[in-house]
Amino acid sequence: MVKVFVPRDTTALSLGANQVADALEQICGGQDADIDLVRNGSRGLFWLEPLVEVETGQGRVAYGPVTPEDIPALLDQGMLEGKPGHTLYQGLTEEIPYLKDQQRLTFSRAGIIDPTSLDDYVHHGGYVGLRKALARIPQEIVDEVKASGLRGRGGAAFPAGIKWQTVLDADARTGSSPYSKRKFIVCNADEGDSGTFADRLVMEADPFMLIEGMTIAGLAVGADTGYIYLRSEYPVAHKILNEAIARAGEAGYLGNNVLNSGKAFHLEVRLGAGAYICGEETSLLDSLEGKRGQVRVKPPLPALKGAFGQPTVVNNVLTLAAVPFILAEGGQAYADYGMGRSRGTLPFQLTGNIERGGVVELAFGVTLRELLEDYGGGTASGRPMRAVQVGGPLGAYMPESQWDTPLDYEAFSEVGAVVGHGGIVVFDDTVDMLDQARFAMEFCAVESCGKCTPCRIGSTRGVEVIDHIRANQERDYHLNLLEDLCDTLEDGSLCAMGGMTPNPVRSALHHFPDDFHQDRTTASRTPAGEA
Amino acid sequence: MNITATTDVQHKVRHIIADLQHKPGALMPILHAIQDELGYIPDDTVPTIAEGLQITRAEVHGVISFYHDFRATAPGKHTIHICRAEACQARGCRTLERHAQQTLGVDYHQTTPDGDITLEAAYCLGNCATGPSIRIGDDIHGRVTPARFDALVDQLQTVPLVIQAAQAGADRKEDSNHG
């Protein structure tokens, strides 16, 4: 029986993976070819999806991107024996340079295992970290995370070990609420940044890793309940996570007595409802409590007064997913990767107008240009790249002069950019940077929680001001006004939504001034990029 | 809505509340469950939810109106979300959205006059390496060109007839069982 892998992650499905799987089963069934079809996660080589893999004596052989119509020819040309010949043959999966040169710690199992098979997970090193954690006292677990140098991967890059220490030390016995004496672990899986899908891929390709990471966090700080706050835009992740949580519970990895340790840890997925702001941790907590997702004033820190007023660890998916490795291999093994104060690896996500889009997990320190050219292979349109937005909709647009900046939290901060969650969106030379700046303001207006005035009103005024610039109405006055408005948003907003919306606006304005100064009122506008 | 239907809705909503109200922060799961069941959250269920959770109607209304997903009116038979975010912009979603609005004859948050399709915006479907992306129900589609969009819409308008026929059959069977 030949093992054949057809991914079931969102991207593979969005490109017809289910139809490919159906065609394979139907045609192989008709030919009496005995296949064992496994629905794996994705390797994250998205330009090759649907990527069909066949297990052979030499390793797994890849074919992609496969359509259902390709299946008969692929079978005729010996796909089930892993033979070359067909144009979609990619050789041994592990030898594909894009994958081979990565430093995969968090994504080490992605696409290799069946995401809902606990046996697969354990067989590939899963739950080693939890077993080690169970043999330690909470302070030792927190110390291991501190030693790793792991910083929050959601964007703010706050040291995870210090956050955990605060929650461990917090006194949960105060108060008279039904939740007193309790602490919580909340996983921020509201991955709303455009150009990011690493959280999604963790949840769809290796969900037990997140479950294990959260369980370890619970042991470390004394929390018996965890919530995964998942965005509703991820229906596939939702299904896979719930399946994995049920299996972990049945096997004793979750519940009242985790692996007979006497320690309890319960886990539940909670769905958001389409609000970008709920990726901000205090909005998320309000939403989790059943309220409007409005930003809270800090202090108190969520570590001291978080979910239901109790001490709470709020960490991003990637932060929690890094924890099993850190416990299994030791904090130092993780800290050995990276540069400066950015330790470990970050899964970069190559997206937008890029030839080879996907997940590239590397140690901090790689330059943007290496990612864009060596991995990404240029634009998908074949046109020159013009601007690259890093770190989501609140991140700066970077011109080519900045592409040699190493991806490191501090180095990016020095050039006025952010690494954020590692999303990299590529635009070719047809992009109109005025449109992009306008969209940043429009997005802020749509998604603002409305609690503070600069964000709520300033974003709407921002759209209007940019429209005046576009219409060539008192341009200099409005350009000054836009700068002034950006100052107000930056200095006066309660959270990063309003505070960072000026990043894309100002970077577009400063690095691509031509797009803001050309006369658009005449019909013969110079195409962007050729000015 | 006739009296029987209203009673039926209230009954379903009470049932959902009873199932979920023990959860900490139960309102969001309850609203999701109601919308999954009914397709939207009718205004006349707000007092029932408020009573069930011992909170004010204003609080319930405030939460429903805050989140883009929750709707107070019935959607069309199918809901299509077009991703408007940057990674899809880089792959042509602005052209796609104009095409969709023109061919369907509706703007965002509107339903086609035949009640078939509701058009909504999404700000990232997490499919950013293979945009532009759209979501139809729980299915996400990548690299959606205007032509591909038309083909997907055509499928929606033809496939459901089969489902409708099957559903009608099931309903008749149920009716006869009750009869």
Side-chain angles (χ1 to χ4, degrees):
Chain A
M1 192 122 91
V2 189
K3 252 190 183 172
V4 182
F5 299 83
V6 179
R8 62 179 284 203
D9 95 295
T10 296
T11 294
L13 295 178
S14 83
L15 301 172
N18 277 347
Q19 289 76 1
V20 169
D22 288 348
L24 253 171
E25 282 197 311
Q26 217 168 40
I27 298 170
C28 288
Q31 295 179 353
D32 279 339
D34 223 359
I35 62 163
D36 176 11
L37 185 67
V38 180
R39 300 305 300 271
N40 56 333
S42 169
R43 300 270 192 164
L45 281 53
F46 287 147
W47 84 97
L48 290 176
E49 292 293 355
L51 182 79
V52 176
E53 289 180 86
V54 177
E55 197 167 72
T56 74
Q58 283 72 49
R60 277 156 69 163
V61 175
Y63 299 84
V66 176
T67 64
E69 294 73 36
D70 294 320
I71 300 288
L74 280 164
L75 291 172
D76 282 349
Q77 294 178 41
M79 180 179 82
L80 295 182
E81 293 88 53
K83 286 186 184 159
H86 196 283
T87 50
L88 299 180
Y89 172 80
Q90 302 290 340
L92 290 170
T93 317
E94 304 282 347
E95 296 297 319
I96 298 175
Y98 193 95
L99 186 61
K100 192 182 179 185
D101 300 339
Q102 295 193 29
Q103 293 160 308
R104 287 196 164 188
L105 306 182
T106 301
F107 283 91
S108 64
R109 279 176 295 262
I112 294 175
I113 60 170
D114 170 350
T116 54
S117 162
L118 199 44
D119 285 347
D120 260 13
Y121 182 63
V122 171
H123 186 70
H124 285 84
Y127 280 121
V128 174
L130 178 64
R131 287 182 193 279
K132 288 198 176 170
L134 283 169
R136 299 190 189 181
I137 61 165
Q139 186 60 54
E140 290 171 339
I141 305 175
V142 173
D143 287 344
E144 202 65 61
V145 174
K146 279 186 189 163
S148 73
L150 176 66
R151 292 165 70 180
R153 295 286 188 253
F158 187 81
I162 293 176
K163 190 183 276 185
W164 288 25
Q165 185 72 58
T166 309
V167 179
L168 171 61
D169 295 341
D171 184 4
R173 291 170 194 281
T174 51
S176 57
S177 86
Y179 306 107
S180 65
K181 297 187 185 176
R182 295 182 66 187
K183 297 178 181 180
F184 295 99
I185 308 297
V186 173
C187 171
N188 184 344
D190 195 7
E191 185 178 45
D193 286 358
S194 175
T196 65
F197 42 66
D199 293 351
R200 171 180 70 69
L201 196 57
V202 163
M203 295 183 282
E204 291 176 354
D206 198 2
F208 291 112
M209 173 172 56
L210 176 60
I211 295 169
E212 183 183 354
M214 290 183 73
T215 311
I216 294 169
L219 293 173
V221 305
D224 66 0
T225 302
Y227 293 102
I228 299 173
Y229 185 90
L230 177 71
R231 60 201 303 262
S232 60
E233 291 85 346
Y234 284 180
V236 180
H238 189 210
K239 188 161 171 261
I240 293 178
L241 270 179
N242 276 335
E243 227 173 294
I245 288 171
R247 293 197 181 178
E250 284 160 19
Y253 289 99
L254 288 172
N256 284 324
N257 186 10
V258 173
L259 292 179
N260 297 316
S261 64
K263 304 259 172 62
F265 194 70
H266 302 273
L267 194 52
E268 191 186 328
V269 180
R270 285 294 177 88
L271 269 192
Y276 175 78
I277 194 61
C278 290
E280 196 281 336
E281 62 176 358
T282 61
S283 300
L284 185 156
L285 291 171
D286 265 19
S287 180
L288 182 67
E289 293 178 8
K291 302 173 189 158
R292 292 162 69 88
Q294 287 195 308
V295 174
R296 296 178 183 173
V297 178
K298 286 194 271 193
L301 294 173
L304 298 173
K305 209 161 179 280
F308 310 105
Q310 294 304 111
T312 303
V313 169
V314 186
N315 276 149
N316 172 255
V317 172
L318 295 178
T319 315
L320 291 161
V323 168
F325 175 91
I326 290 165
L327 265 290
E329 306 293 329
Q332 190 55 46
Y334 192 78
D336 285 344
Y337 293 87
M339 70 175 277
R341 294 202 296 124
S342 305
R343 309 311 311 173
T345 59
L346 186 66
F348 300 102
Q349 298 129 81
L350 287 175
T351 75
N353 195 335
I354 189 94
E355 177 65 19
R356 294 193 296 262
V359 170
V360 181
E361 184 178 354
L362 289 170
F364 287 95
V366 60
T367 68
L368 197 50
R369 194 183 297 277
E370 287 173 86
L371 285 169
L372 296 172
E373 292 174 3
D374 300 351
Y375 286 89
T379 60
S381 60
R383 299 181 67 96
M385 279 186 199
R386 182 159 186 247
V388 177
Q389 189 180 30
V390 184
L394 307 178
Y397 284 101
M398 302 174 75
E400 183 168 5
S401 60
Q402 294 184 334
W403 295 350
D404 292 309
T405 312
L407 280 143
D408 157 77
Y409 294 122
E410 280 69 35
F412 259 56
S413 168
E414 272 170 35
V415 300
V418 293
V419 174
H421 188 52
I424 296 170
V425 183
V426 177
F427 293 82
D428 72 11
D429 64 350
T430 60
V431 67
D432 182 335
M433 296 309 292
L434 182 137
D435 278 348
Q436 298 312 114
R438 187 188 188 279
F439 178 79
M441 286 292 189
E442 185 191 352
F443 180 68
C444 184
V446 172
E447 296 295 338
S448 174
C449 82
K451 186 151 179 168
C452 70
T453 317
C455 177
R456 184 183 69 246
I457 308 281
S459 50
T460 298
R461 293 289 169 266
V463 172
E464 293 166 2
V465 170
I466 294 172
D467 282 343
H468 286 307
I469 296 169
R470 184 205 297 276
N472 201 15
Q473 295 163 341
E474 298 177 90
R475 179 182 289 133
D476 289 341
Y477 168 76
H478 282 112
L479 282 169
N480 278 332
L481 195 59
L482 184 59
E483 289 280 5
D484 197 39
L485 191 58
C486 284
D487 284 340
T488 306
L489 276 162
E490 223 163 70
D491 298 336
S493 300
L494 200 53
C495 81
M497 176 95 218
M500 287 172 65
T501 290
N503 281 348
V505 177
R506 278 197 163 125
S507 55
L509 190 56
H510 296 168
H511 299 308
F512 306 92
D514 291 354
D515 291 17
F516 293 80
H517 285 91
Q518 54 187 300
D519 188 357
R520 292 158 187 271
T521 51
T522 58
S524 60
R525 189 178 81 80
T526 316
E530 290 167 28
Chain B
M1 201 180 275
N2 63 39
I3 292 166
T4 329
T6 308
T7 317
D8 187 40
V9 163
Q10 293 295 341
H11 179 75
K12 280 178 179 165
V13 168
R14 279 183 219 285
H15 194 75
I16 287 169
I17 295 168
D19 261 4
L20 298 172
Q21 64 183 356
H22 68 280
K23 283 179 182 284
L27 183 55
M28 292 283 282
I30 286 173
L31 294 178
H32 271 300
I34 293 172
Q35 187 152 308
D36 285 350
E37 176 77 28
L38 306 174
Y40 67 113
I41 303 163
D43 284 339
D44 61 3
T45 64
V46 170
T48 317
I49 301 166
E51 193 193 318
L53 293 180
Q54 293 293 293
I55 54 178
T56 65
R57 293 178 195 188
E59 283 172 295
V60 179
H61 173 76
V63 170
I64 294 170
S65 59
F66 181 85
Y67 296 93
H68 299 312
D69 283 1
F70 296 137
R71 8 180 353 118
T73 53
K77 264 184 266 170
H78 309 280
T79 300
I80 301 182
H81 285 85
I82 298 183
C83 178
R84 295 192 69 216
E86 290 86 346
C88 283
Q89 290 165 11
R91 298 301 283 134
C93 80
R94 287 193 177 100
T95 309
L96 179 66
E97 71 182 347
R98 273 194 301 272
H99 172 83
Q101 288 167 343
Q102 273 164 16
T103 49
L104 297 176
V106 292
D107 204 344
Y108 285 123
H109 319 304
Q110 293 180 350
T111 302
T112 52
D114 57 7
D116 246 8
I117 292 168
T118 299
L119 193 64
E120 294 286 348
Y123 295 92
C124 197
L125 297 167
N127 200 31
C128 317
T130 52
S133 303
I134 68 169
R135 174 178 178 175
I136 303 175
D138 275 350
D139 293 329
I140 288 157
H141 302 267
R143 294 198 193 114
V144 180
T145 57
R148 175 95 184 109
F149 181 86
D150 292 345
L152 288 166
V153 170
D154 276 353
Q155 274 176 32
L156 290 182
Q157 287 166 337
T158 50
V159 173
L161 294 176
V162 183
I163 298 170
Q164 278 167 13
Q167 186 59 44
D171 289 346
R172 276 195 298 276
K173 199 174 162 199
E174 197 161 296
D175 286 346
S176 63
N177 287 346
H178 284 297

